[in-house]
Amino acid sequence: MTTASISDRHLDHAVAQVADVLHGKRRAPQVKAFFDESTFTVSYVVSDPATRRAAIIDSVWNFDQASGRTSFDSADRIVAYVEAQGLSVDWILETHAHADHLSAAPYLQQKLGGRMAIGHEIVTVQGVFGKIFNEGTGFARDGSQFDSLLEDGDVLAVGGIPLIALHVPGHTPADMAYVVGDALFTGDTMFMPDYGSARADFPGGDARQLYRSVRRLMKLPDETRVFLCHDYKAPNRDEFVWETTMLAERTANVHIHEGVSEDDFVAMRTQRDATLSMPRLILPSLQVNMRGGHLPEPEDNGVRYLKQPIDLL
């Protein structure tokens, strides 16, 4: 069986699941968003209202780069919500190894339980950035910092609602999107229709792959609820927003709506990415997130350090 046929089969499964919810054959999940304005990141708790089981997606560990101080203000909002709602957490998911914020997954796991998971291609990211940060042999590059590594089409469960993992490379090699009932969590594949798409110029990124990944997701039904990982306020918009529909993305996304060819998208994305500066927290974020949300081991003075490569990137 070819890779294309496998991918189509997995997508067909996701399409059917969304349709079942829309036709009343399956329950829709409850989705609660938590916006961290300092990193423009949206974290989610998605839960089955019947069983009270839940998954957490793309959590934030607050980090002040100037002082090197960390706090769990954003994560504690999630903890408070989960406890107030009487939810039981089964999964703590990452859509990818983020370059703009540190993951609070281990902290949330300690507080709430659940298994940490990310796409299997995190091993590729670990290989690339393990070299960039000169991590040596002490840094495992096999994804073992996570409880589960997910492949395209893997099916988890949020209570009685299936969660389908879809591999959507392009922004990074490891990006995953998650379909839970009629809800799609896109990670950094695309943003609100008036803002467009994610950059594809990080190591391992590929604008052509990103185009194909977004086009794949756009085959989901029009009514699919689409939940985004970031919002930056598009021009002429005064509010942060992070939920839309697949119909809106497919017909109105300013970068990749219907009718935009792959070559035109790649040309736009390449030209645009060349003007973008590096994310403010990319260096601390990747050192932590490639470790599954853990800091490097303390040195002989008991202090943990994050590296700053000079004239390398």
Side-chain angles (χ1 to χ4, degrees):
M1 183 176 289
T2 66
T3 300
S5 65
I6 293 174
S7 297
D8 290 344
R9 176 167 56 83
H10 295 156
L11 181 63
D12 288 346
H13 186 190
V15 169
Q17 174 171 293
V18 175
D20 281 349
V21 175
L22 298 175
H23 296 149
K25 297 178 181 179
R26 285 187 183 275
R27 289 190 297 276
Q30 182 173 342
V31 179
K32 173 67 174 178
F34 298 84
F35 185 62
D36 178 67
E37 189 169 346
S38 66
T39 62
F40 306 103
T41 301
V42 194
S43 306
Y44 295 98
V45 177
V46 54
S47 58
D48 177 354
T51 66
R52 315 305 296 169
R53 313 301 297 189
I56 298 169
I57 301 174
D58 290 336
S59 61
V60 174
W61 182 8
N62 303 107
F63 178 69
D64 181 74
Q65 191 170 26
S67 67
R69 293 284 183 180
T70 65
S71 71
F72 291 106
D73 293 345
S74 292
D76 281 337
R77 292 168 57 206
I78 293 176
V79 172
Y81 172 79
V82 168
E83 292 179 344
Q85 296 296 312
L87 301 176
S88 298
V89 174
D90 292 323
W91 293 100
I92 302 174
L93 304 172
E94 304 289 351
T95 55
H96 62 295
H98 304 274
D100 42 32
H101 70 271
L102 282 62
S103 169
Y107 175 79
L108 291 171
Q109 186 178 51
Q110 179 185 20
K111 292 286 186 177
L112 301 171
R115 292 176 59 81
M116 292 168 44
I118 197 169
H120 184 271
E121 286 302 311
I122 186 63
V123 299
T124 301
V125 175
Q126 290 174 329
V128 170
F129 286 95
K131 291 179 181 178
I132 288 174
F133 293 112
N134 196 31
E135 293 292 347
T137 58
F139 171 59
R141 294 163 170 82
D142 59 1
S144 57
Q145 299 88 346
F146 300 85
D147 298 314
S148 296
L149 300 183
L150 303 175
E151 302 280 2
D152 187 65
D154 280 352
V155 180
L156 311 178
V158 179
I161 303 174
L163 181 155
I164 303 171
L166 297 174
H167 185 212
V168 286
H171 174 62
T172 79
D175 279 62
M176 302 295 288
Y178 302 114
V179 180
V180 189
D182 65 334
L184 169 68
F185 300 88
T186 67
D188 283 13
T189 55
M190 52 187 168
F191 301 134
M192 289 297 294
D194 59 358
Y195 199 88
S197 60
R199 66 195 296 169
D201 60 331
F202 295 150
D206 186 296
R208 289 193 183 278
Q209 283 190 328
L210 180 60
Y211 180 90
R212 295 167 188 173
S213 291
V214 172
R215 282 286 180 257
R216 186 184 185 211
L217 294 178
M218 284 183 171
K219 294 178 182 177
L220 290 166
D222 289 352
E223 300 89 346
T224 304
R225 294 185 288 162
V226 179
F227 295 94
L228 312 172
C229 188
H230 299 286
D231 187 58
Y232 305 97
K233 288 185 183 176
N236 303 316
R237 174 156 56 81
D238 295 328
E239 296 180 344
F240 291 109
V241 287
W242 44 79
E243 180 181 352
T244 183
T245 67
M246 190 52 71
L247 177 63
E249 290 285 12
R250 185 165 52 250
T251 59
N253 186 290
V254 294
H255 290 168
I256 198 169
H257 60 79
E258 289 175 326
V260 175
S261 71
E262 182 174 322
D263 286 343
D264 286 345
F265 175 80
V266 170
M268 178 282 299
R269 193 68 264 172
T270 301
Q271 181 179 16
R272 182 178 175 86
D273 289 350
T275 70
L276 300 177
S277 59
M278 291 177 62
R280 177 174 56 90
L281 294 180
I282 184 171
L283 296 177
S285 293
L286 285 171
Q287 289 175 79
V288 170
N289 295 341
M290 71 182 184
R291 290 178 164 86
H294 294 282
L295 290 167
E297 291 299 314
E299 298 193 5
D300 55 11
N301 61 354
V303 178
R304 301 175 189 269
Y305 293 88
L306 295 170
K307 295 181 179 179
Q308 176 87 20
I310 305 300
D311 295 331
L312 177 63
L313 299 174

